[in-house]
Amino acid sequence: MTILLTGGAGFIGSHTYVALTQAGHEAVIVDNFYNSSQEVISRLQTITGKAVPYYDVDVCDHHALDQVFQKHSFDAVIHFAGYKAVGESVGMPIEYYRNNLDSTLTLCEVMRERGVNRIVFSSSATVYGMTDDMPLKETMSSGGCTNPYGWTKYMIEQILRDVADANPSWAVALLRYFNPIGAHESGLIGEDPVGLPNNLMPFITQVASGKLKELNIFGNDYPTPDGTGIRDYIHVVDLAQGHLDACAYLMAHTGCEVFNLGTGVGYSVLDMVHTFERVNNVTVPFHIAPRRPGDIARCFADPSKAEKLLGWKAHKSLEDMCIDAWRWQSLNPNGYATV
């Protein structure tokens, strides 16, 4: 297969590029490096031993994106591109709606014009909203999102459903991620948040390295075994494999399907901290802060549909996730920055 990865230099996109390439497929990256670094490209070349075909293009730019499609014959597209910070989206709703929806609409227009009709979309478990009914299943209602970022994922899912309904030849897979963590085993690519981390694992690694003073744990009075919130964490390498399996599925099917990509196992914040400390022999100072508005006690997936239809399941353990995340942080204390 020849696959276009929009936003392919990002955290999940870069790992998916490696998985595709090592499986013998051709992957082409389009990225304007708004949320990523061009250093990723050279790291990918080191890992794969091959030149990386990439284009510095904004997916909202119809003409520039069309030129990429003219140069390649794509079998499918994996759409990662988009603004992705939950907190930032609350303060910048116009920018989030404009960029995330425009990039998707432009991509679909170019795909239609060039006769490419298979797309895997990088969605999120945020589309389920605030339900306490666990585990989350694809048959459950979506919506009720708590921030503009989540609403853009919900709206894009609807756009792609409508496209598939209107065009019977189209094949769409909506992949709802849970909490991707970890890094490639080489330590060459990983999660590189801008500014203060929004997610738990990079916060833990930066505290462990001394870059940050201590971890804030928001609430220890939830109705969970240790009082801290429970989430479904998935190794980014397992997640990347899910995209390959989704592409293979779309080669033989049309219409639109939704898949949860998670482990189906929930770990508490303290589980994460103590496992990280144990497997890496480091200390992670923390203090308990008040609950954050909008946080729920538990959130984890039912991933059985992905196993049944895609033949996919997560294999890496929480220990693997913690070891690989710490290796990435240790080898790259400033992320992809050279200073």
Side-chain angles (χ1 to χ4, degrees):
M1 294 184 289
T2 301
I3 311 295
L4 174 66
L5 307 182
T6 70
F11 176 43
I12 302 168
S14 59
H15 287 80
T16 302
Y17 176 87
V18 172
L20 282 165
T21 303
Q22 293 183 338
H25 304 296
E26 180 182 354
V28 177
I29 290 173
V30 164
D31 203 303
N32 66 352
F33 302 101
Y34 175 83
N35 279 326
S36 56
S37 168
Q38 279 198 281
E39 172 64 20
V40 173
I41 301 299
S42 64
R43 303 286 184 94
L44 292 176
Q45 182 166 326
T46 300
I47 293 170
T48 63
K50 300 178 181 178
V52 178
Y54 80 97
Y55 298 87
D56 186 347
V57 164
D58 186 334
V59 180
C60 294
D61 185 335
H62 188 288
H63 176 71
L65 187 61
D66 184 63
Q67 289 186 314
V68 176
F69 274 75
Q70 289 184 49
K71 295 175 182 177
H72 302 271
S73 180
F74 295 117
D75 295 297
V77 176
I78 303 178
H79 184 30
F80 297 107
Y83 295 168
K84 61 180 183 178
V86 169
E88 182 181 69
S89 77
V90 176
M92 298 171 55
I94 294 173
E95 289 79 2
Y96 268 69
Y97 286 116
R98 170 67 72 186
N99 181 77
N100 292 5
L101 299 183
D102 270 8
S103 61
T104 303
L105 292 168
T106 301
L107 175 62
C108 287
E109 287 173 346
V110 176
M111 289 175 63
R112 180 176 61 183
E113 291 162 8
R114 294 294 168 185
V116 179
N117 56 12
R118 300 180 184 94
I119 182 170
V120 176
F121 175 54
S122 168
S123 192
S124 167
T126 58
V127 301
Y128 288 111
M130 293 292 292
T131 180
D132 291 322
D133 188 10
M134 296 295 152
L136 295 172
K137 300 180 180 182
E138 295 89 345
T139 53
M140 295 167 64
S141 63
S142 58
C145 304
T146 59
N147 54 75
Y149 163 79
W151 278 116
T152 66
K153 294 294 188 184
Y154 174 83
M155 291 175 182
I156 292 168
E157 283 196 3
Q158 189 60 52
I159 289 168
L160 293 173
R161 280 195 188 92
D162 291 341
V163 169
D165 286 343
N167 301 275
S169 65
W170 277 60
V172 177
L174 308 175
L175 304 186
R176 293 176 178 170
Y177 309 162
F178 280 69
N179 294 273
I181 60 174
H184 190 264
E185 61 183 8
S186 67
L188 288 172
I189 55 173
E191 188 172 7
D192 184 18
V194 177
L196 197 66
N198 290 304
N199 300 323
L200 177 61
M201 182 56 81
F203 212 123
I204 288 174
T205 63
Q206 290 190 20
V207 170
S209 70
K211 191 172 183 178
L212 296 175
K213 182 180 178 181
E214 62 183 0
L215 172 69
N216 295 317
I217 295 179
F218 297 102
N220 65 345
D221 57 350
Y222 286 103
T224 61
D226 63 22
T228 63
I230 288 175
R231 299 293 183 270
D232 189 336
Y233 297 93
I234 178 172
H235 198 295
V236 66
V237 170
D238 279 333
L239 185 60
Q241 181 60 45
H243 294 76
L244 273 68
D245 295 336
C247 285
Y249 178 84
L250 295 185
M251 295 299 156
H253 298 82
T254 56
C256 181
E257 288 285 355
V258 182
F259 299 99
N260 287 335
L261 295 188
T263 64
V265 178
Y267 295 102
S268 75
V269 177
L270 286 177
D271 286 335
M272 296 287 290
V273 171
H274 296 325
T275 301
F276 187 92
E277 291 180 320
R278 173 174 57 81
V279 298
N280 293 310
N281 195 29
V282 294
T283 300
V284 180
F286 66 85
H287 81 279
I288 304 299
R291 292 189 189 187
R292 293 179 300 191
D295 278 355
I296 59 177
R298 301 182 306 147
C299 180
F300 57 95
D302 176 353
S304 59
K305 181 180 177 182
E307 183 172 6
K308 180 179 179 181
L309 296 188
L310 304 182
W312 174 90
K313 66 181 297 184
H315 294 285
K316 290 184 176 288
S317 67
L318 180 59
E319 288 79 4
D320 294 329
M321 301 180 211
C322 291
I323 290 168
D324 290 341
W326 180 233
R327 182 187 301 110
W328 156 254
Q329 178 69 46
S330 301
L331 293 174
N332 304 273
N334 298 308
Y336 290 111
T338 56
V339 294

